[in-house]
Amino acid sequence: MTKTAGGGKAEPWGNTVLVELDEGIAWVSMNRPDKRNAMNPAMNREMNEVLDALELDDRCGVLVLTGAGESFSAGMDLKEYFRETDDAPRIVQTRARRDAFAWQGAKLMHFAKPTIAMVNGWCFGGAFTPMASCDLAVAADEATFGVSEINWGILPGGNVSKVLSQLCGRRAALYAIMTGIPFGGKRAAEMGLVNESVPLAELRGRTRELAKVLLEKNPTVLHQAKVAFRNVEDMPWETALDYLSAKNEQAILIDPERGRQQGLKQFLDDKTYRPGLKAMKRGK
């Protein structure tokens, strides 16, 4: 069995991840449905392997992260990730944390291709981190979000507080952190935690539509655009302007499709498209 099967058939990658490659979209599912897809050390290791493989796989143009069954993820597996490593050698604890932080944060955030979180159900605690590390996010109206750590006496795990402070307004973020009260997909969209919320029956179709929009774009420029955005967030105005000018020149230099020249030609000379309404026709 190949670990990345095509043709719209999901195949297991190890014991905790499913991968389905279909028409340029890699549907990656956290696969512990009996545990609400809680993220354990095995899943964290396998997700690192999956991301490394798909980043180099030409069959993957857009990556969609979701959960098998009725949940996105209930967060970190408290038993396997915490309790069972408490008395383990320090190196085991370090490896477990490194594997978790790697894929849920930097590796997913800086993935070379566009990423979409498809939140199909339960999304709690630590699951906010990989969800927010994706470029875009679509939720089901019926999904349930929650930051429940306050209910059992700890701070939100990992970088969840940072996620909320960056994506949501101050009042909404503190309300979620301090009360632990869960909320649905529509509220998550209102808070800015996800881009939009749709009925569960429409979730995969809407996510596919969004992925297809991204697949129409020049992949080199798309990657450069998201890297540039993440880097300028904390830059002063003049520094950002200088950086973005250099980044644009870099994109023009390394783009094998020569998108800028093609775009100007199709718009100004051929009159074949209007950039405010659709993507240009791509070509080598």
Side-chain angles (χ1 to χ4, degrees):
M1 177 190 302
T2 60
K3 287 188 173 181
T4 51
K9 179 182 179 183
E11 296 283 5
W13 187 297
N15 297 316
T16 65
V17 181
L18 294 175
V19 178
E20 174 189 343
L21 287 160
D22 187 27
E23 297 183 340
I25 306 171
W27 303 87
V28 177
S29 300
M30 294 173 278
N31 187 35
R32 301 182 72 213
D34 57 321
K35 299 292 185 179
R36 293 187 185 270
N37 300 320
M39 299 175 289
N40 66 347
M43 181 187 290
N44 292 328
R45 287 194 300 271
E46 290 173 9
M47 284 298 308
N48 277 297
E49 295 173 3
V50 167
L51 294 179
D52 286 342
L54 290 177
E55 197 163 42
L56 300 176
D57 194 324
D58 290 338
R59 296 172 295 172
C60 169
V62 174
L63 185 147
V64 174
L65 177 67
T66 190
E70 298 179 352
S71 297
F72 181 75
S73 173
M76 299 304 291
D77 186 308
L78 302 182
K79 182 174 184 288
E80 291 192 35
Y81 185 77
F82 294 106
R83 180 64 59 78
E84 292 186 2
T85 62
D86 281 348
D87 298 323
R90 181 66 180 173
I91 192 170
V92 174
Q93 299 177 20
T94 300
R95 177 62 184 270
R97 283 158 178 74
R98 185 179 68 193
D99 287 343
F101 296 155
W103 85 266
Q104 295 170 26
K107 189 171 287 189
L108 188 56
M109 186 178 295
H110 300 296
F111 195 69
K113 300 166 183 179
T115 56
I116 305 172
M118 186 176 79
V119 186
N120 52 311
W122 202 262
C123 181
F124 268 66
F128 278 44
T129 302
M131 181 268 295
S133 293
C134 289
D135 302 319
L136 305 174
V138 183
D141 294 342
E142 297 89 335
T144 303
F145 295 79
V147 187
S148 60
E149 285 87 343
I150 195 70
N151 293 333
W152 47 287
I154 67 169
L155 299 180
N159 241 359
V160 174
S161 293
K162 174 65 174 176
V163 166
L164 289 165
S165 70
Q166 192 163 11
L167 296 183
C168 306
R170 178 184 178 88
R171 295 296 189 194
L174 282 173
Y175 187 89
I177 290 169
M178 296 176 69
T179 68
I181 296 173
F183 51 93
K186 290 183 178 179
R187 177 57 181 157
E190 292 172 356
M191 293 166 59
L193 195 59
V194 299
N195 294 99
E196 58 185 287
S197 180
V198 299
L200 180 61
E202 302 172 15
L203 181 62
R204 186 176 173 104
R206 175 57 188 143
T207 304
R208 177 181 288 277
E209 287 178 3
L210 185 56
K212 289 294 187 181
V213 169
L214 297 175
L215 286 170
E216 293 177 350
K217 313 303 182 188
N218 180 308
T220 302
V221 179
L222 196 60
H223 174 64
Q224 293 290 89
K226 81 171 191 175
V227 169
F229 172 79
R230 292 192 186 280
N231 286 336
V232 300
E233 283 187 283
D234 297 321
M235 286 184 187
W237 182 273
E238 294 298 333
T239 304
L241 181 60
D242 184 61
Y243 168 81
L244 290 170
S245 297
K247 200 68 176 172
N248 187 53
E249 291 175 1
Q250 181 190 48
I252 293 171
L253 180 66
I254 67 175
D255 178 17
E257 297 186 14
R258 298 293 181 258
R260 184 175 186 275
Q261 295 93 318
Q262 289 295 322
L264 289 174
K265 181 179 182 298
Q266 291 176 34
F267 176 51
L268 297 175
D269 303 329
D270 303 340
K271 312 292 186 185
T272 56
Y273 94 114
R274 288 181 287 177
L277 300 179
K278 65 178 182 179
M280 69 177 183
K281 182 179 179 181
R282 290 177 52 203
K284 301 292 184 183

